[in-house]
Amino acid sequence: MPELSAQRAGDSAGPGNRPVKRVAVLGSSGFVGRAVVAELRSRGAEVRLVSAPRLSWPLTESLRSNSVPADLQRDVVDALAAQLDGAHVVINTAGLPNGSAPDSAELYGGNALLPTLVARASALINADRLVHVSSAAAQGAMDLDETSRTMPFSPYSRSKAVGERLLQREDCIDTVIYRSTWVHDVDRPNTRALVRLAQSRMSCVAGDGTAPTPQVLIDDVAAAIAHLGLVDGPVPPIVLQPHNGMTTGLLLRLLGGREPLHLPPLMARYATRCVTAYGRTGLNANAHARRVEMLLFGKRQTPGWLTDQGLAPTLRPEAWERLRTAGAEPTPAVTPNADAVARPRTGDRRPVETSGADTDNRSLTT
């Protein structure tokens, strides 16, 4: 592999003689990556934008592997190390984020294989920490927590679960797996789909609508990821995005501008059983069934490390309302520029992401 520089990231001193951390971000042109880059820069970090390689890994190999073979894609690891060289922290936001994607070698290459290769490349440059962005979808129907337990229900969630499992087998670098919950912003297709649902006659919840639901704004996701990358001291191996107080009824009121229909819990449970029966026809159908169940009944999550650190986000109803009202505003002619990305504000119009599979996703996914 190419020779790496001897200077360590963060050796240069910033204002007040505090070291400036150099952070390499993979997937920096994507939906989450752009927001993370902006957040890091707002905190004074020196950010390097790294393009993630496009990988293929057959499903049969990814499912039967207890670990990634040491010599697999070694050329990719070496090339990544050359790009990451000098970084103190590596943040991997790359992958295929299409929650309705079918099984494919590309899905498992991006979500299951890439995290381990990034970890090995990060170890080669002696980085201090790797933050890997995963998804709460890996835990499926179970209550969300910070354990290694997973219960995938779709090709996408399975690829994320496999990626977590294989990454945890690597002990070459300090790694934290960050599980985002269901992420929203004004131009995200799944958010626009949810706004349309909330404004339609199909907008309904079970009971009084006070069940918690793990929905989060992109600003809060970026803040959590940046904190994990920049904080000194140890962090847990798995960290879950904290709950912000959102409930099933409030979500639909804020996004729909109207009160949802309140179904008797027994009726809602019957409807859920019917949808679940439909979900048994295939993994993609099961993914849709899980989303319907979560919108009706919500999902519980166990408070985790970020909450204990006092970093649970506030709800900010006005930001959620902007997601509804901004959809009617004209989109300015702005060309995306990852090198000059500015701190976004939730609800502001931003260039539509065209670099990842999420552009074609019209379902309600993380």
Side-chain angles (χ1 to χ4, degrees):
M1 65 171 289
E3 183 178 355
L4 304 181
S5 65
Q7 181 178 1
R8 286 299 311 275
D11 289 345
S12 57
N17 294 322
R18 295 185 61 186
V20 176
K21 286 194 176 181
R22 293 179 185 169
V23 184
V25 180
L26 280 85
S28 55
S29 64
F31 170 61
V32 173
R34 288 198 309 268
V36 170
V37 168
E39 180 67 26
L40 288 167
R41 286 177 172 167
S42 74
R43 299 186 183 205
E46 182 179 332
V47 183
R48 178 180 301 175
L49 311 183
V50 178
S51 298
R54 296 189 178 275
L55 304 176
S56 295
W57 202 25
L59 172 62
T60 53
E61 292 185 22
S62 63
L63 292 183
R64 72 187 181 193
S65 297
N66 291 323
S67 61
V68 176
D71 58 347
L72 184 64
Q73 302 276 9
R74 184 55 190 262
D75 56 333
V76 173
V77 173
D78 290 346
L80 278 173
Q83 293 186 75
L84 300 175
D85 185 27
H88 250 146
V89 177
V90 177
I91 298 178
N92 178 35
T93 70
L96 297 183
N98 187 349
S100 298
D103 278 321
S104 70
E106 291 73 24
L107 181 68
Y108 288 90
N111 292 346
L113 176 60
L114 179 61
T116 293
L117 302 188
V118 173
R120 292 175 180 177
S122 302
L124 286 178
I125 65 160
N126 295 318
D128 292 333
R129 178 175 299 155
L130 166 64
V131 180
H132 169 61
V133 178
S134 186
S135 170
Q139 292 198 292
M142 60 188 290
D143 290 350
L144 304 181
D145 59 24
E146 295 180 345
T147 69
S148 60
R149 298 177 301 163
T150 59
M151 188 184 293
F153 58 91
S154 67
Y156 169 76
S157 64
R158 184 165 59 185
S159 69
K160 285 293 190 179
V162 172
E164 287 189 10
R165 174 173 58 82
L166 296 175
L167 183 56
Q168 290 176 80
R169 299 294 180 93
E170 299 291 311
D171 57 2
C172 55
I173 183 174
D174 176 31
T175 299
V176 54
I177 295 171
Y178 164 78
R179 287 177 180 156
S180 73
T181 50
W182 281 257
V183 190
H184 297 282
D185 198 17
V186 62
D187 280 321
R188 204 174 192 207
N190 64 342
T191 304
R192 304 314 312 159
L194 184 54
V195 169
R196 291 193 296 270
L197 173 64
Q199 295 175 339
S200 74
R201 295 181 180 180
M202 297 295 292
S203 178
C204 57
V205 294
D208 59 8
T210 59
T213 183
Q215 315 287 333
V216 68
L217 298 170
I218 183 59
D219 301 19
D220 298 324
V221 166
I225 295 171
H227 178 78
L228 291 173
L230 299 178
V231 66
D232 294 324
V235 295
I238 298 176
V239 170
L240 176 66
Q241 171 65 35
H243 187 234
N244 55 12
M246 183 65 77
T247 64
T248 53
L250 181 58
L251 175 70
L252 295 178
R253 285 194 294 274
L254 292 174
L255 295 184
R258 58 192 291 272
E259 186 69 25
L261 177 66
H262 291 262
L263 300 178
L266 288 178
M267 179 186 296
R269 187 61 66 186
Y270 175 76
T272 301
R273 283 200 296 266
C274 294
V275 175
T276 301
Y278 160 73
R280 296 193 185 100
T281 62
L283 284 173
N284 282 332
N286 193 26
H288 291 294
R290 293 295 184 191
R291 294 172 196 128
V292 170
E293 183 177 16
M294 187 178 67
L295 287 174
L296 285 171
F297 291 96
K299 180 183 285 289
R300 292 179 297 179
Q301 64 181 90
T302 303
W305 186 78
L306 287 170
T307 299
D308 293 342
Q309 300 294 305
L311 297 174
T314 56
L315 184 57
R316 294 185 291 146
E318 71 285 353
W320 289 90
E321 289 175 342
R322 280 201 297 269
L323 299 184
R324 179 184 81 244
T325 58
E329 298 173 2
T331 304
V334 177
T335 301
N337 185 347
D339 292 316
V341 65
R343 168 75 174 146
R345 183 181 61 161
T346 297
D348 287 347
R349 297 296 291 181
R350 70 175 70 221
V352 177
E353 168 60 21
T354 59
S355 62
D358 190 56
T359 347
D360 297 323
N361 182 16
R362 296 296 182 270
S363 58
L364 309 181
T365 63
T366 27

